[in-house]
């Protein structure tokens, strides 16, 4: 087979080389182009690439028609470094006898952290956006890849800088309510949260030259396989649709299901809390604090 003739280390040698997509390249074609290096993709992106490839090659029962294309976009996010005043008991009990984890009172750090990278977006056709409260894009995490393998995939030349210091919740960590960027600047889009509070500031920027590792592996392949394998996703999707059908039908037993789900969540929470306490005890013995004071 021709796949056996290719260099198995080709992509490892060119991880940081620039990549450009041909006009009209589809998701399915991109997956097929990567097929000879399925093992490398599985290791680099921590996902079952072969399973997704098999799914792409399978004929779909339906096609995703609401999405126009898949866009790979660059973003930079500036946010404050959080810290909390340590408290003896991080749990508080609500009126309905549930425990809520509270890390403690926020304290000022005066430091910032920067997160950057490429993300993939399933961009909706304008005529379908009113079905999703005006959103520009949706998630395809629970949709089989063969349903959207026909969609074009492209790399956006423009990126976005998100300034989270504009959020009201950032003031405690920065010691000031002033954002790094001015909301009245003509190049700043000041957002408002659904609850009416201040949102992030968004600034359009030029994206850096896209590389194979940053864009294809981290920006697309890794995100495709992050949530589910095809088998797990199909099972989750089936359960989700069954729950929606029961809710729509107003069937009996829904309240009991809610109670059972609440009990399961509480059990998971208590198990996680016990693990945190064990970690704190171990860290204390080693002199390694888990949170800043």
């Amino acid at each position: 087979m021709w796949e056996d003739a290719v260099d198995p280390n080709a992509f490892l040698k060119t991880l940081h080389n620039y990549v450009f997509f041909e006009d009209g390249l589809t998701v399915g074609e991109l997956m097929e182009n990567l097929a000879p290096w399925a093992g490398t993709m599985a290791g680099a992106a921590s996902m079952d690439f072969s399973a997704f490839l098999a799914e792409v090659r399978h004929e779909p029962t339906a096609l995703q028609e609401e999405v126009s294309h898949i866009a790979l976009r660059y973003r930079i996010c500036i946010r404050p470094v959080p810290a909390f005043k340590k408290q003896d008991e991080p749990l508080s009990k609500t009126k309905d006898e549930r425990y809520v984890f509270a890390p403690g009172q926020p304290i000022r750090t005066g430091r910032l952290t920067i997160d950057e990278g490429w993300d993939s977006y399933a961009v909706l056709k304008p005529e379908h956006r009113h079905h999703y409260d005006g959103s520009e894009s949706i998630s395809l995490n629970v949709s089989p890849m063969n349903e959207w393998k026909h969609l074009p995939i492209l790399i956006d030349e423009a990126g976005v800088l998100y300034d989270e210091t504009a959020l009201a919740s950032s003031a405690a960590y920065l010691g000031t309510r002033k954002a790094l960027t001015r909301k009245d600047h003509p190049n700043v889009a000041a957002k408002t949260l659904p609850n009416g509070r201040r949102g992030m500031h968004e600034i359009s920027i030029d994206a850096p030259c896209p590389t194979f590792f940053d864009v294809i592996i981290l920006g697309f392949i890794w995100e495709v396989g992050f949530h589910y394998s095809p088998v797990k996703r199909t099972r989750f999707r089936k359960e989700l649709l069954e729950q929606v059908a029961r809710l729509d039908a107003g069937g009996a037993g829904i309240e009991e299901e809610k109670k059972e789900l609440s009990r399961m969540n509480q059990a998971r929470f208590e198990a996680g809390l016990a693990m945190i306490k064990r970690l704190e005890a171990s860290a204390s013995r080693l002199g390694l604090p888990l949170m800043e004071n």
Side-chain angles (χ1 to χ4, degrees):
M1 296 178 63
W2 73 271
E3 288 92 339
D4 298 328
V6 301
D7 181 357
N9 298 315
F11 285 145
L12 295 180
K13 298 174 181 176
T14 58
L15 282 179
H16 298 293
N17 282 13
Y18 299 147
V19 293
F20 301 93
F21 291 167
E22 293 182 354
D23 291 341
L25 178 72
T26 66
V27 170
E29 290 169 343
L30 176 61
M31 293 291 288
E32 290 292 351
N33 288 339
L34 299 174
W37 298 275
T40 301
M41 295 300 102
S46 300
M47 53 98 80
D48 191 348
F49 184 86
S50 295
F52 283 97
L53 183 62
E55 183 176 65
V56 166
R57 290 172 172 172
H58 189 72
E59 284 301 315
T61 56
L63 291 177
Q64 169 56 258
E65 300 291 357
E66 294 182 321
V67 173
S68 63
H69 64 281
I70 303 298
L72 302 177
R73 294 175 179 166
Y74 180 74
R75 51 103 183 105
I76 300 178
C77 185
I78 301 177
R79 60 172 63 96
V81 175
F84 305 91
K85 184 178 295 184
K86 189 173 182 180
Q87 53 188 17
D88 295 333
E89 184 52 64
L91 284 180
S92 60
K93 185 179 289 188
T94 62
K95 294 180 180 179
D96 56 356
E97 299 298 314
R98 294 184 181 183
Y99 287 99
V100 178
F101 179 74
Q105 181 181 351
I107 58 176
R108 180 183 181 277
T109 62
R111 301 196 310 273
L112 298 171
T113 183
I114 297 177
D115 173 54
E116 60 87 31
W118 293 80
D119 302 308
S120 60
Y121 297 85
V123 180
L124 286 163
K125 296 176 181 177
E127 62 268 26
H128 293 294
R129 294 178 185 177
H130 68 279
H131 295 303
Y132 300 91
D133 297 326
S135 296
E136 181 200 15
S137 61
I138 60 173
S139 171
L140 295 177
N141 290 334
V142 295
S143 299
M145 283 197 78
N146 57 355
E147 292 184 359
W148 48 283
K149 65 179 181 180
H150 63 290
L151 296 176
I153 182 168
L154 54 87
I155 301 172
D156 280 357
E157 295 181 357
V160 180
L161 168 64
Y162 297 104
D163 177 12
E164 288 193 12
T165 66
L167 294 170
S169 57
S170 297
Y173 309 124
L174 296 177
T176 177
R177 294 174 60 87
K178 293 183 178 180
L180 290 180
T181 53
R182 291 171 44 189
K183 67 178 182 180
D184 59 347
H185 192 283
N187 292 340
V188 171
K191 302 298 181 178
T192 302
L193 300 178
N195 60 8
R197 304 188 74 184
R198 300 197 313 268
M200 295 184 292
H201 289 175
E202 297 183 8
I203 304 169
S204 181
I205 60 175
D206 273 356
C209 288
T211 66
F212 174 79
F213 182 74
D214 291 331
V215 177
I216 296 180
I217 293 183
L218 292 184
F220 181 67
I221 299 297
W222 187 85
E223 287 202 14
V224 166
F226 176 77
H227 296 281
Y228 310 100
S229 66
V231 172
K232 290 182 179 179
R233 187 204 52 238
T234 299
R235 184 167 59 245
F236 172 78
R237 187 185 190 188
K238 180 181 178 182
E239 294 173 354
L240 184 63
L241 290 175
E242 289 174 350
Q243 292 174 12
V244 171
R246 286 197 297 271
L247 288 171
D248 288 342
I254 291 179
E255 288 303 318
E256 187 57 36
E257 287 186 14
K258 290 181 179 178
K259 292 179 181 178
E260 178 61 24
L261 181 60
S262 177
R263 287 192 290 268
M264 291 171 60
N265 288 338
Q266 184 69 16
R268 293 192 187 100
F269 175 79
E270 291 176 354
L273 179 64
M275 182 183 69
I276 290 174
K277 289 185 175 181
R278 289 196 299 272
L279 287 173
E280 284 187 326
S282 299
S284 178
R285 289 195 298 271
L286 296 172
L288 301 173
L290 286 181
M291 62 177 67
E292 296 188 43
N293 292 309

